[in-house]
Amino acid sequence: MKRRNRWIYAGLIPFIFMIAAFQIAPILSMLTGSVARENGPGITFGFYAQVLQSSYYLKAITNSLLISIISSAIAIVIGLVCAYSITRFSPKIRDLLLTISNMTSNFAGVPLAFAYIILLGSNGVFTLLFKQWGWDVFQNFNLFSWSGLILVYVYFQVPLALLLLYPSFFGIREQWREAAALLGAGKWKFWSTIGLPVLTPAIFGTLGILFANAMGAYATAYALVGGNYNLLAVRIGSLVAGNVINQPQLGNVLAVVLAASTLLAVYLNHKMTQRSRMFNGAPSSEPVRAHKRRSWLRPAAPASAKEELS
């Protein structure tokens, strides 16, 4: 058994090496690079002060937060409706729709931006077609603006939200629907009092993933608007690999801000998920101590016995 355990642990060596090389090492490089002096050895926090005092970089942080929050909120609403709709189809159609959603969620980056430019750009297919038909649908719409970015972000956020929310609908038992119907509750009453509270942990967890996905999106925004729109991921790319000015220290600082905001959102969603589970009566994910488990397994003492013990 000991020899077998040694071989099992030896199989984890490639996994540990991959984690250290592609996750721990870049994080350490980012943290040390953000406090490194530009010329010579030493530690400085001057680049952090420069970012916090610069309205240009603060605007980039604000824009990224806004576009991530708005696109995540829109995607979670559409994803909830689509995920529930898919559960009503037959298994064959359901698998087909999930396959298409999986493919769509991976269609992002530069190909997605070019696809939207071809379809909805200034000389896009739909833009010219609707204009020829006399429909002014896209007359006031500019793909290379704030609304265009929101539209593109929502496109790759909705399939991801659908795939993450879809399994949670199977946690709603059919017996609950029947019991609610027998008690006189309609569909809206059922979803407001039973369905949505049960889905609350999945909704909060999906929001955290969608927020992190939008905050880290770089290729799509850069291919669509380039450096014309001030986003945090675009600013990091221009500072690290820019054609005019290279300031890797500032890029590392902005990367730390990006990572901190993402981790904070995930942590808040985790705490809210725990709180919703507590109110919904769901078991907590935290480990339960042995003496607590044993106390749960004991039968409850009668009231007379409790009074004698007290």
Side-chain angles (χ1 to χ4, degrees), residues 1-14 16:
M1 291 299 295
K2 291 183 178 180
R3 185 175 298 177
R4 177 183 291 181
N5 291 336
R6 291 175 184 175
W7 282 108
I8 292 175
Y9 294 143
L12 294 176
I13 294 177
I16 296 173

Side-chain angles (χ1 to χ4, degrees), residues 88-272:
R88 314 312 296 175
F89 288 101
S90 62
K92 185 176 181 180
I93 300 178
R94 189 187 309 162
D95 294 339
L96 177 62
L97 293 175
L98 289 176
T99 303
I100 296 174
S101 300
N102 192 13
M103 294 173 57
T104 309
S105 64
N106 293 317
F107 184 65
V110 178
L112 177 62
F114 283 164
Y116 265 89
I117 292 173
I118 293 172
L119 295 176
L120 299 178
S122 302
N123 295 317
V125 175
F126 290 136
T127 304
L128 296 178
L129 184 63
F130 290 158
K131 186 177 180 180
Q132 185 177 0
W133 289 349
W135 297 353
D136 296 333
V137 179
F138 300 106
Q139 182 178 4
N140 299 323
F141 175 75
N142 184 12
L143 182 63
F144 311 101
S145 64
W146 172 265
S147 57
L149 280 174
I150 292 290
L151 180 63
V152 175
Y153 272 58
V154 168
Y155 179 86
F156 65 80
Q157 291 274 68
V158 169
L160 181 59
L162 188 152
L163 293 174
L164 294 175
L165 292 172
Y166 165 76
S168 61
F169 279 92
F170 290 97
I172 302 176
R173 301 177 183 177
E174 193 64 30
Q175 294 86 343
W176 299 348
R177 300 174 186 267
E178 297 174 355
L182 290 175
L183 293 174
K187 290 185 177 180
W188 290 107
K189 188 67 175 179
F190 170 79
W191 283 108
S192 61
T193 57
I194 300 175
L196 286 179
V198 172
L199 295 175
T200 300
I203 292 174
F204 284 131
T206 304
L207 272 175
I209 297 175
L210 293 179
F211 180 84
N213 188 38
M215 284 290 293
Y218 169 74
T220 303
Y222 185 77
L224 190 63
V225 297
N228 298 326
Y229 203 82
N230 196 7
L231 292 175
L232 187 56
V234 177
R235 291 284 75 79
I236 294 173
S238 63
L239 288 171
V240 175
N243 296 326
V244 180
I245 299 175
N246 290 331
Q247 292 180 308
Q249 291 84 1
L250 281 177
N252 287 324
V253 171
L254 293 179
V256 170
V257 174
L258 175 62
S261 62
T262 304
L263 291 176
L264 179 61
V266 173
Y267 174 76
L268 291 177
N269 285 326
H270 176 67
K271 302 303 289 186
M272 294 178 70

